[in-house]
Amino acid sequence: MKVAYSPKARQRGDDLALLEQATNCLQEVVEPAAEQAWAEWDSAEDERGRHVYTLTLHDETREVRGRFSPSELGIPSYVRAALHRLWGGILKLRSDEQHQKVLELVRQLGED
């Protein structure tokens, strides 16, 4: 899996190790499809002005985003669950697209 860290994400050296741990976990979560996915970490402020990291997870045509505070990144069980939800979001989008294709094929067969 290709992973990128924005310059802003790299600025807080103390948190970089947490991002790298989360990335290792992410690679385990997406392992069967790791070649088809890539991730980008960035740093931002939330609506309350608190520091957060954003993870954008991509596959060929889809993307999902998650936000993590530095304290959340320090809780491995929380990170793993959140990463599973994000990857599940990608898989749901894939499934929805495939379902629509099947429905279209059935509709076309019904017209013949």
Side-chain angles (χ1 to χ4, degrees), residues 6-101:
S6 75
K8 286 171 55 178
R10 292 182 177 276
Q11 281 179 343
R12 292 181 165 216
D14 297 345
D15 292 344
L16 187 57
L18 293 172
L19 294 177
E20 290 171 344
Q21 288 173 358
T23 297
N24 290 337
C25 182
L26 177 62
Q27 290 177 344
E28 291 172 13
V29 168
V30 303
E31 179 57 39
E35 307 85 40
Q36 300 170 355
W38 68 97
E40 299 173 80
W41 285 102
D42 199 4
S43 177
E45 288 187 355
D46 68 8
E47 53 281 344
R48 294 182 181 173
R50 296 175 299 186
H51 181 254
V52 294
Y53 290 99
T54 58
L55 173 65
T56 306
L57 184 58
H58 306 264
D59 76 353
E60 298 96 6
T61 61
R62 295 157 287 270
E63 73 177 37
V64 293
R65 281 194 183 83
R67 289 192 315 186
F68 299 85
S69 69
S71 62
E72 290 170 339
L73 287 170
I75 306 170
S77 60
Y78 176 85
V79 170
R80 179 171 293 281
L83 295 174
H84 273 284
R85 280 191 303 274
L86 284 172
W87 184 242
I90 289 278
L91 296 178
K92 181 176 182 334
L93 291 170
R94 279 185 190 176
S95 176
D96 291 348
E97 288 174 12
Q98 291 171 349
H99 183 249
Q100 287 302 317
K101 288 177 184 177

